[in-house]
Amino acid sequence: MSHPDTSVPTRPTTLDDPIRLLIDGEWVEGSGAAIALHDPSTGLVIGEYAGADAHDIDRAARAARNAFDGPWSRFAPAERARLLLRLADALEARIDEFARLESLNTGKPLELMRRYEAPMAVELIRYHAGWATKLNGETRQVSLPGEWHAFTLRRPIGAVGLIAPWNNPLVMAAAKLAPALAAGCTTVLKPAEITPVTAALLGELIVKVGFPPGAVNIVPGLGSIAGEAIAAHPAIDKISFTGSTAVGQHLQRTTASSLKRLSLELGGKSPVLIFADADLDRAIESAARSIFNNSGQVCAAGSRLFVERSVADQVISGIAEFADRLPVGDAFAPGVLMGPVVSAAQHERVLGFIEAGRTAGADVVAGGHAPDLPGWFVAPTVLAGTDPTMSVVSEEIFGPVLTTQTFDDPDDLDPLLRRANESVYGLSSYVWTRDLSRAHRVARRLGAGNVRVNTVTGMDPNMPFGGFKASGYGKENGREGVEAYTELVSVAMHLGD
Ligand code: NAD
C-alpha cells in the first residue's frame, strides 16, 4: 500500500454554508439535537447542524401531502420531465463543488467523485426524467359476457419517505428522488445523519429550478428520531429505504400496522467466482476494485472470493499485490484511489472484524491494520484460509476486507454454488470464466438479484437493481424502479350486453 502526498494545501477544512432543512420550499433550522459532521480523512469536525425531530418531520410530511394533492398533481408528465432535466443540468454545471463537498464529508477520493459518482448522479436524474412521460397502463381483453372496455392505470403512490445511507449520499439522493418525482410522487428525503451535505446543496438546486414547495423536502437527522417519524407518519404512503438489514427489518415491523408500501435495499455479502479459464489479469484487478472501491463501503462489493485451486495462488497474491500498491490517503491528495472509512464507529467495526478473522485462524495476506495516517483509514485487506464459520465470511463488514476460499472441480457446480449461495444475503454476484455455457449455468443459479459476468460494473440506470433474502426486496432503476412509485389500478367498464 503506498501513501501519496498527505499535505494537501487546497483542501477545504470546514463547511462554508450551514446545513438546514428544506420544508415546504423554505430553509429552516432543525429542531432536534446538534449533530457534528466530520472529515473522515482527518477525523476533525467540519461543522455541525441541528437535525430534524418529529415536529419537523410532521411539517415535511404534511407539506409533501399538500403538494401531492395540490400543485404537483397539476404538473403534466412532460413538465415533471423538464424540471428533472433542468435539475440534472444544474447539478452538472456545479459538479466540482458537489464533488469537493462529498469528498470532505465522506472521505471519497476527490478525483473518483468528480469523474464517476457525481456524473452518475446527473445521469440518474436524466434517465428517470425520461420515464415521466412513459408510464402507461394498458388495455386488457376480458372474457365476460357483454361488451367491455378494460384497462389498467398507473398512478403515483403519493407522498413518499426516502431514507438513505451514508455510503453514496449524492448518488443515493438522485437515485431515490428522480424516480419518485418522475412517477408524480412528492418526497421527504432523509439523508444519513452524518452525510447530509450534498443532499442539502441539491435542495438549493431543486428550489432554483422551480420544483413547487413541498414536492421535495430534505430533512437530515437521526434515524432513531427523524427516520422513525417518517416511517410512522400517516401522510406518508411509501418508504423507500436503503441501509442495513437490521433497520430494514425494523421498518417492516413499524410499517406493518399502516400497511405503508415499503421497498428495502439492504446489505450484501456478494460472492466472486473465478474459474481458471478466465482472463485472470482482468479478474484479479476487477475483484480487487470490487472490494476496495469506496473503501469497501458498497452494498454490492464482491467480498467473498471463490477461486479455482489451480490458479488460487496467482489470483490471491495478485489481489494482495494490488492492495499493497493501492494509493490510500486523504481524499484530496492527488493520485489517491482509496480514502478512509466514513466514521470512527465504522473504523472500529472493520478493524474488529479483521481481528476476529485473525483470531479464528485467517491468514492476513495484505493489510490487516490501520495505516499510520490521521483519519479513519483501514489498509486494503485480503484474508486467506477463511471458511463460512468465521464472522468475516458470514457477516457484512462494509469495509475493504476480502475473504478467500478455493474450489477444486470447475465442472462440479453443485457444491460450488451451494457454498456461494450459503449466505443470508442475496444482493450481487460475480462470475469470471471464458466458458459461455458455464457462465450461463452459473448466472441462472446464483442466489442474488444482480449477476455480473466478466465485469464488476454493469450498474446502469436502465438495469433494475435489488436483492433477495436479507438483502431486501423491490428494485431501483429501470422501468421497475419507477413503477415502484406507482399503484396499478384496474378499470373495467361495462359498455352494454
Ligand atoms: P443504517 O441502516 O444504519 O442507516 C440507513 C438510514 O436509515 C440512515 O438514514 C439512518 O439514519 C436511517 N435509520 C436508522 N435507524 C432508523 C430507524 N429506526 N427508522 C428509520 N430510519 C432509520 O445503514 P448505514 O449504516 O447508514 O448504511 C450501511 C448499510 O446500508 C449497509 O448494510 C449496506 O449494505 C446498506 N446499503 C445497501 C444498498 C443497496 O442498494 N442494497 C446500498 C447502499 C448501502
Side-chain angles (χ1 to χ4, degrees):
M1 182 187 53
S2 53
H3 294 173
D5 182 10
T6 49
S7 59
V8 193
T10 59
R11 74 192 315 291
T13 51
T14 53
L15 295 171
D16 292 335
D17 297 319
I19 303 291
R20 286 179 296 164
L21 318 184
L22 177 61
I23 299 179
D24 210 6
E26 303 286 331
W27 290 100
V28 296
E29 289 290 324
S31 319
I35 298 173
L37 299 175
H38 293 86
D39 172 357
S41 296
T42 60
L44 300 175
V45 172
I46 54 169
E48 91 173 13
Y49 73 103
D53 73 359
H55 165 73
D56 299 318
I57 298 301
D58 179 50
R59 290 190 49 224
R62 285 169 194 269
R65 183 87 247 153
N66 291 339
F68 181 75
D69 293 336
W72 191 233
S73 67
R74 292 191 286 277
F75 277 68
E79 290 175 300
R80 299 202 301 269
R82 266 198 295 279
L83 274 180
L84 284 166
L85 290 173
R86 288 226 291 272
L87 179 62
D89 289 346
L91 170 57
E92 193 168 43
R94 287 172 68 177
I95 238 166
D96 285 353
E97 192 181 348
F98 273 87
R100 285 171 70 77
L101 285 173
E102 191 90 305
S103 292
L104 181 64
N105 190 195
T106 63
K108 287 170 189 291
L110 179 63
E111 223 21 63
L112 300 183
M113 189 59 216
R114 197 170 6 219
R115 287 206 337 246
Y116 302 110
E117 278 198 40
M120 191 191 295
V122 173
E123 286 316 311
L124 280 164
I125 298 171
R126 235 169 234 155
Y127 167 82
H128 285 104
W131 275 111
T133 51
K134 295 168 194 69
L135 290 170
N136 302 316
E138 57 183 23
T139 54
R140 291 290 173 104
Q141 294 197 75
V142 292
S143 303
L144 301 166
E147 270 195 84
W148 294 80
H149 177 44
F151 56 96
T152 57
L153 278 177
R154 273 204 180 275
R155 59 185 190 209
I157 284 189
V160 297
L162 310 172
I163 303 180
W166 41 256
N167 60 331
N168 301 94
L170 176 62
V171 165
M172 206 62 74
K176 291 200 179 292
L177 286 172
L181 293 164
C185 293
T186 54
T187 57
V188 176
L189 169 69
K190 195 198 85 60
E193 50 271 36
I194 57 173
T195 57
V197 178
T198 46
L201 185 56
L202 193 65
E204 280 180 27
L205 303 185
I206 283 166
V207 172
K208 197 163 149 194
V209 301
F211 281 88
V216 179
N217 303 276
I218 302 179
V219 286
L222 295 174
S224 56
I225 294 176
E228 288 281 341
I230 293 172
H233 203 286
I236 299 287
D237 301 295
K238 172 188 166 110
I239 303 287
S240 169
F241 172 79
T242 300
S244 62
T245 297
V247 174
Q249 289 165 327
H250 174 72
L251 287 173
Q252 280 190 311
R253 290 189 289 272
T254 52
T255 57
S257 58
S258 67
L259 287 173
K260 267 187 185 61
R261 301 293 180 261
L262 184 61
S263 42
L264 298 174
E265 298 285 347
L266 308 176
K269 190 76 185 178
S270 301
V272 181
L273 277 49
I274 300 182
F275 290 88
D277 71 335
D279 177 340
L280 291 182
D281 289 341
R282 287 194 53 222
I284 288 168
E285 183 176 335
S286 300
R289 285 189 191 286
S290 176
I291 187 64
F292 302 139
N293 174 34
N294 205 25
S295 305
Q297 304 166 121
V298 177
C299 52
S303 48
R304 286 184 300 139
L305 175 70
F306 295 87
V307 55
E308 192 172 331
R309 191 182 300 277
S310 60
V311 294
D313 286 349
Q314 181 186 348
V315 168
I316 294 171
S317 63
I319 297 173
E321 278 163 31
F322 185 104
D324 290 338
R325 282 198 320 268
L326 191 63
V328 174
D330 187 301
F332 288 83
V336 157
L337 293 177
M338 195 180 105
V341 296
V342 76
S343 64
Q346 193 64 10
H347 191 239
E348 194 179 320
R349 179 181 145 84
V350 175
L351 291 173
F353 267 111
I354 295 173
E355 209 36 54
R358 217 192 294 260
T359 307
D363 297 328
V364 179
V365 292
H369 62 277
D372 185 18
L373 289 168
W376 298 313
F377 291 88
V378 177
T381 295
V382 180
L383 302 177
T386 57
D387 68 58
T389 64
M390 298 178 180
S391 61
V392 283
V393 174
S394 60
E395 292 182 40
E396 183 185 50
I397 299 175
F398 222 55
V401 182
L402 179 69
T403 65
T404 62
Q405 300 171 61
T406 57
F407 61 91
D408 289 306
D409 183 352
D411 297 317
D412 189 6
L413 292 181
D414 287 352
L416 173 60
L417 286 166
R418 202 174 312 118
R419 291 168 66 199
N421 292 338
E422 189 181 31
S423 168
V424 295
Y425 297 107
L427 188 57
S428 290
S429 55
Y430 304 87
V431 188
W432 289 85
T433 178
R434 286 189 169 107
D435 182 325
L436 188 61
S437 152
R438 180 189 290 142
H440 277 288
R441 286 162 64 211
V442 172
R444 284 178 185 197
R445 291 178 54 194
L446 278 164
N450 313 293
V451 180
R452 308 285 183 249
V453 178
N454 295 333
T455 179
V456 278
T457 55
M459 278 290 269
D460 184 281
N462 200 30
M463 284 288 279
F465 181 88
F468 304 150
K469 303 194 284 182
S471 297
Y473 48 73
K475 298 288 180 194
E476 289 194 323
N477 293 340
R479 192 187 70 229
E480 297 79 358
V482 191
E483 287 182 351
Y485 291 98
T486 65
E487 299 276 30
L488 197 64
V489 183
S490 100
V491 184
M493 294 183 172
H494 186 209
L495 305 181
D497 295 320

